[in-house]
Amino acid sequence: MMTHFDWKMTENSTDTNGRTRLLRPGENKRNNDNDNDDDDVERGRPKEPWKGELVKSIVYAGLDAIVTCFSLISSISAGHLSSVDVLVLGFANLVADGISMGFGDFISSGTENDVAAKERAVTKWDVTNHITPQLMELLQKYQMLGMSTEDAATVVRIFAKYKDILVDEKMMAQKGILPPEEAYKPWKNGLVTFAAFIFFGSAPLLSFIILIPFTDSEIIKFVGACVLSGISLALLGITKAKIVGQSYVGSAMVTVLNGAIAASAAYGLGWTLRNVAG
């Protein structure tokens, strides 16, 4: 009786000479089983975080803006000031803080890159003029990380052939500093921080603008500001969780709790000062 062969070809159905061969009986089943195992392994792979040099600026500025602006509104509301006072002080503070935050991010980002460039120049000089001690330091670092002496020596010998790669490796492995980016533009970080601060910081103030035609109650407007601030903080918390691959619910709860604590402290301080000062 003729045995039935599975004629289906797979990516592994070539011999060592590159010629196509037929699968033997049962071999395709084993390949399918291996594919299923690979699928199970892939499903267990952790999710990659979002990548982007400006994500940090957006999240940091957004969180700070909402908490800062909402805390200011809370302290003003505790003092029983009008909606006009809230809007004037709120937007003035928002713009001033936004400019300060944006400029601060621009300065700090530029300084960080300049420090990395200076550190790289120093490391490159050391590698050029004192290559042996530098290689020994790298060898000892790899041994501390768990490499055998033989493997560490092999890696160091390979790096020694490529000076620029060796310099970058020494910066990261020994000094914990990433190599500087030549095309890095710190003004982008500053601009994004400013825009994110203004955009997200406006959320608590929208309640006072939207509800002006509908009610004169300052309490209702303040409650609306609380709701908008809570929603904005929760969305930013979810965004942060998406970036780093954390739990959406946990991240949102932590962010909202952070805003609630800050706003409560500001409201309590404003209420206390108003009653003490009369």
Side-chain angles (χ1 to χ4, degrees):
M1 179 181 296
M2 182 178 293
T3 305
H4 173 72
F5 285 83
D6 191 336
W7 296 87
K8 183 179 179 181
M9 310 238 294
T10 69
E11 60 182 356
N12 296 321
S13 60
T14 57
D15 59 17
T16 56
N17 295 320
R19 295 172 299 190
T20 303
R21 64 176 175 80
L22 300 179
L23 296 175
R24 290 187 289 272
E27 186 173 353
N28 187 59
K29 181 178 183 302
R30 290 195 298 271
N31 289 336
N32 290 336
D33 291 341
N34 291 335
D35 290 341
N36 292 334
D37 292 340
D38 291 341
D39 291 340
D40 292 338
V41 171
E42 287 298 322
R43 279 194 289 268
R45 183 175 183 264
K47 294 182 180 179
E48 289 189 9
W50 284 0
K51 296 178 177 66
E53 59 179 25
L54 302 177
V55 170
K56 173 187 172 184
S57 297
I58 294 173
V59 174
Y60 174 67
L63 290 173
D64 189 72
I66 295 173
V67 172
T68 300
C69 191
F70 184 50
S71 298
L72 178 66
I73 291 174
S74 299
S75 62
I76 294 174
S77 299
H80 300 292
L81 299 180
S82 66
S83 297
V84 175
D85 295 324
V86 171
L87 291 174
V88 170
L89 294 174
F91 277 112
N93 181 75
L94 185 64
V95 173
D97 280 355
I99 294 174
S100 177
M101 286 279 295
F103 188 72
D105 197 357
F106 165 73
I107 294 295
S108 62
S109 299
T111 302
E112 184 179 359
N113 204 58
D114 291 342
V115 169
K118 181 66 175 177
E119 190 62 47
R120 192 183 191 282
V122 173
T123 305
K124 186 173 183 179
W125 189 94
D126 290 338
V127 167
T128 302
N129 295 277
H130 304 290
I131 182 66
T132 302
Q134 302 303 314
L135 294 177
M136 288 301 299
E137 289 178 2
L138 199 57
L139 177 68
Q140 293 170 0
K141 178 67 177 180
Y142 290 148
Q143 288 176 321
M144 290 174 58
L145 292 175
M147 276 191 185
S148 67
T149 302
E150 183 180 354
D151 289 343
T154 301
V155 173
V156 170
R157 276 197 299 269
I158 294 174
F159 277 134
K161 299 177 182 179
Y162 309 96
K163 187 169 70 174
D164 286 339
I165 299 178
L166 175 60
V167 170
D168 292 340
E169 178 63 17
K170 279 188 63 63
M171 287 184 62
M172 292 185 289
Q174 289 186 277
K175 301 179 180 181
I177 301 176
L178 293 176
E181 301 178 27
E182 295 181 1
Y184 186 67
K185 296 180 177 61
W187 63 266
K188 284 186 178 180
N189 293 70
L191 185 60
V192 168
T193 297
F194 171 76
F197 196 93
I198 297 297
F199 178 79
F200 289 104
S202 300
L205 295 170
L206 287 178
S207 171
F208 290 86
I209 298 175
I210 295 173
L211 294 177
I212 284 178
F214 302 101
T215 180
D216 293 329
S217 173
E218 302 298 335
I219 296 178
I220 294 178
K221 295 175 185 176
F222 177 67
V223 170
C226 294
V227 172
L228 288 177
S229 298
I231 294 174
S232 302
L233 285 169
L235 290 176
L236 270 177
I238 292 173
T239 302
K240 174 179 172 291
K242 177 68 175 177
I243 292 170
V244 299
Q246 295 177 342
S247 166
Y248 292 171
V249 176
S251 181
M253 289 179 62
V254 169
T255 344
V256 173
L257 181 62
N258 176 34
I261 293 173
S264 300
Y267 188 92
L269 184 61
W271 183 87
T272 303
L273 291 176
R274 181 181 183 277
N275 286 274
V276 170

